[in-house]
Amino acid sequence: MCGIIGIVGKSAVSDRLVEGLKRMEYRGYDSAGICTVFDDQLVRRRAEGKLANLVKVLKTDDAAGNIGIAHTRWATHGAPTTSNAHPHATGEVALVHNGIIENFKQLRDELTARGRTFESETDTEVVAHLVSEQVEAGHSPADAVKAVLPRLRGAFALAIAFRQFPDFLIGARLGSPLVVGYGDGETYLGSDALALAPLTQKIAYLEEGDWVIITRDGAQIFDKDNVPVTREITTSGVSAAQIEKGNYRHYMQKEIFEQPTVVAQTLSSYIRPLEQTVALPQMDFDLASVKRITIVACGTSFYAGMVAKYWFETFARVPVDIDVASEFRYSDPVLEEGGLALFISQSGETADTLAALRHCKENGQTIAVVVNVPTSSMAREADLLLPTHAGPEIGVASTKAFTCQLAVLAALAAHLALVKGKLSAEEEREIVRHLIEAPAALNAALAHDDEIAAMAHLIAPARDVLYLGRGPDYPLAMEGALKLKEISYIHAEGYASGEMKHGPIALIDEAVPVIVLAPSGPLFEKTVSNMQEVRARGGKVVLISDAEGIAEAGDGCLATIEMPTVHPLIAPLVYAVPVQLLAYHVAVAKGTDVDQPRNLAKSVTVE
Ligand code: F6R
């Protein structure tokens, strides 16, 4: 999604703005631009495509000035062309925007009728014109912004520069995050703390409806009713080192390999290793009285939720409804008074999930959130915050956030089972012992990296790939297919193994590799039968199993990947590793842009 940075600085800002945009590349974008205020002029430079194109433009045509705004755009209204790239400007005002102005058509018609002309197809340009009209009529920039914000429907984070005012910028947020960074004689605006990481660690998070004037001396923040407010200045834990690739070729690769560490880090907040018990944060509702859980999430986080459904139902015997967030509100869900709604999100800003959360809140649900960004909107709106401690996830394809989500969800399921009286203290200790084994098992799974890299050429030429799994490995099959689709652009589907014979089996031929996820255990025999159905039709199988499973069913497979033998509880965490590595190495073999796959955004802040 779009990234915003603004600097009111003591020295030239152009290079630092571009550096800030580089740190936000991970969010996904298809054009970029900057605008400085210099010599009573708005100096605007924009380019479609990657940041390198903008840098090229700036090499021949620099943007001087100590104050400026910059933006990476992920196209919504209008193609990713230079004229649609932000900043959008009039003679007086330039601004960058993240989000969607839903009533832009009506505003555009109104502005056109007043004789204003537009140079882009974007929704954003109407905001530049609305603010500009006010300034041209003699209103101060603050009054202009105050007059315009209530006219905007939708979601926005804005950073606005004014030609005649080279000493301040104005920012505003509603629905899309925006932070203020406090430096030494400089002040910044950014989409997140990551964007500002090397500039400052002192961050204030704007709240819904806030707007702010930033100067070299600091910031004046106002709430939605234009009342001056103070927002706590926190020290962001994000260091520049955390957002570097280190010795890895890609962020995704680094993040896959971080999993043993970050899962251990996450688990250490949810278990007491000496007592071997689960320890959840304090909650002001009675977990034991929960009769039904509604889980809502998107993409990879949704698959973590599907695994959790198995755990909540098998351990705690609590029924679970689960839906993707983009469908949830429109299916008119039945939400019983006093129910528990659980939202899972890496970013905590995914617009569909956030809208579903608010819907549940309005309908009397207690809100629990498993989230990786503890300062995110979802984290702030939760009754029970269950943070994952995966650290910043930069690769667009989610990896370490997923396994950390599973770690938290397993602990939650065990605790729920305990308070529901479905688990004895000894059984709880056993579960905790297995969770403690997870980081070492993840390490053992990662040891197969070279072998998986070597087999990537078997999958890379395929047009279609099927992933099969049963029970908690079924969501893993879908997650494997999602990873492959996202970064290698190979069409892939994840199916419940037993469902294959009801249709997808028609696709099987020797050109369609089938990846079977089958740890040995109660579901193994059934999954292997489905695998034999594939092989009987000439299908080429890659079997991912443990030593016992491979000894029993590995003969005749195109390839096998041996996972450590683990308890079924932690199998979903461990089996995530080979599907992530397989997608990664296939993408590398195909030469695609692993960290910034085409069309994708890291945090999807539009519905
Ligand atoms: C897949 C991926 C996406 C996200 C989805 C939800 O690799 O990254 O499918 O999982 O957009 O994002 P969060 O978890 O931030 O709500």
Side-chain angles (χ1 to χ4, degrees), residues 298-301 344-350 353 378 393 396-398 405 479 482-483 486 601-604:
C298 297
T300 292
S301 298
I344 306 167
S345 176
Q346 188 285 126
S347 60
E349 300 292 349
T350 301
T353 312
M378 283 181 220
E393 191 178 66
V396 162
S398 187
Q405 288 165 350
E479 169 61 3
L482 178 63
K483 289 284 94 88
E486 283 184 299
K602 179 66 185 161
S603 150
V604 185

Side-chain angles (χ1 to χ4, degrees), residues 119-158:
E119 58 171 38
S120 79
E121 304 153 285
T122 65
D123 53 337
T124 303
E125 200 183 350
V126 297
V127 188
H129 280 280
L130 287 171
V131 176
S132 195
E133 270 190 338
Q134 297 286 322
V135 172
E136 289 162 35
H139 298 291
S140 71
D143 284 342
V145 169
K146 248 193 271 180
V148 169
L149 292 182
R151 303 220 48 208
L152 308 178
R153 279 212 315 274
F156 53 80
L158 295 165

Side-chain angles (χ1 to χ4, degrees), residues 305-317:
M306 282 183 73
V307 175
K309 174 178 160 75
Y310 284 92
W311 289 336
F312 291 146
E313 291 183 342
T314 46
F315 295 141
R317 307 304 299 153

Side-chain angles (χ1 to χ4, degrees), residues 5-337:
I5 178 162
I7 303 179
V8 185
K10 294 188 285 196
S11 57
V13 292
S14 150
D15 286 353
R16 291 187 290 158
L17 287 171
V18 172
E19 287 301 316
L21 294 183
K22 277 196 186 131
R23 287 189 292 278
M24 289 187 285
E25 277 193 297
Y26 78 97
R27 299 165 73 95
Y29 71 104
D30 31 43
S31 61
I34 80 169
C35 183
T36 56
V37 186
F38 183 65
D39 223 1
D40 275 343
Q41 294 302 317
L42 293 170
V43 185
R44 186 163 60 134
R45 307 283 180 255
R46 299 177 296 167
E48 65 180 74
K50 291 289 175 194
L51 269 180
N53 299 340
L54 177 65
V55 171
K56 226 184 270 165
V57 171
L58 285 163
K59 274 224 168 85
T60 48
D61 234 353
D62 189 21
N66 296 353
I67 177 168
I69 53 178
H71 188 263
T72 43
R73 170 174 189 252
W74 187 77
T76 54
H77 293 70
T81 56
T82 303
S83 57
N84 285 332
H86 299 211
H88 288 286
T90 65
E92 294 298 329
V93 168
L95 62 81
V96 291
H97 166 220
N98 176 13
I100 286 190
I101 305 299
E102 282 164 6
N103 56 337
F104 92 100
K105 172 85 178 60
Q106 173 208 327
L107 294 170
R108 191 172 164 125
D109 290 348
E110 188 188 294
L111 285 157
T112 309
R114 289 205 289 271
R116 305 207 63 109
T117 53
F118 289 83
E119 58 171 38
S120 79
E121 304 153 285
T122 65
D123 53 337
T124 303
E125 200 183 350
V126 297
V127 188
H129 280 280
L130 287 171
V131 176
S132 195
E133 270 190 338
Q134 297 286 322
V135 172
E136 289 162 35
H139 298 291
S140 71
D143 284 342
V145 169
K146 248 193 271 180
V148 169
L149 292 182
R151 303 220 48 208
L152 308 178
R153 279 212 315 274
F156 53 80
L158 295 165
I160 316 174
F162 301 86
R163 181 184 69 80
Q164 300 178 56
F165 302 91
D167 294 318
F168 64 84
L169 297 173
I170 295 186
R173 88 153 268 183
L174 187 79
S176 298
L178 192 68
V179 305
V180 177
Y182 295 82
D184 181 12
E186 300 198 326
T187 311
Y188 318 101
L189 290 172
S191 291
D192 56 30
L194 274 184
L196 305 182
L199 299 172
T200 183
Q201 300 275 298
K202 282 159 67 186
I203 300 288
Y205 292 85
L206 295 185
E207 308 227 326
E208 286 296 70
D210 282 357
W211 61 281
V212 60
I213 304 172
I214 64 163
T215 64
R216 289 181 182 83
D217 300 328
Q220 259 182 296
I221 305 177
F222 303 87
D223 71 6
K224 60 177 185 333
D225 301 317
N226 303 319
V227 176
V229 284
T230 45
R231 300 289 177 222
E232 191 192 353
I233 301 175
T234 56
T235 305
S236 130
V238 180
S239 68
Q242 268 183 304
I243 50 172
E244 272 154 20
K245 281 203 278 270
N247 292 329
Y248 291 96
R249 188 165 163 199
H250 296 100
Y251 283 110
M252 181 182 179
Q253 185 189 26
K254 176 184 176 223
E255 288 158 6
I256 291 173
F257 277 86
E258 277 174 354
Q259 290 177 110
T261 310
V262 294
V263 165
Q265 216 161 275
T266 300
L267 282 171
S268 66
S269 303
Y270 292 92
I271 55 181
R272 295 191 198 92
L274 290 180
E275 294 92 329
Q276 298 188 334
T277 53
V278 174
L280 290 192
Q282 199 67 36
M283 49 190 105
D284 54 14
F285 63 93
D286 178 17
L287 192 62
S289 67
V290 167
K291 292 205 180 61
R292 193 169 201 96
I293 299 177
T294 304
I295 301 181
V296 186
C298 297
T300 292
S301 298
F302 173 73
Y303 298 138
M306 282 183 73
V307 175
K309 174 178 160 75
Y310 284 92
W311 289 336
F312 291 146
E313 291 183 342
T314 46
F315 295 141
R317 307 304 299 153
V318 174
V320 173
D321 298 313
I322 177 161
D323 205 351
V324 288
S326 52
E327 285 297 316
F328 177 72
R329 281 181 307 154
Y330 309 108
S331 60
D332 200 4
V334 181
L335 297 167
E336 280 162 34
E337 191 60 36

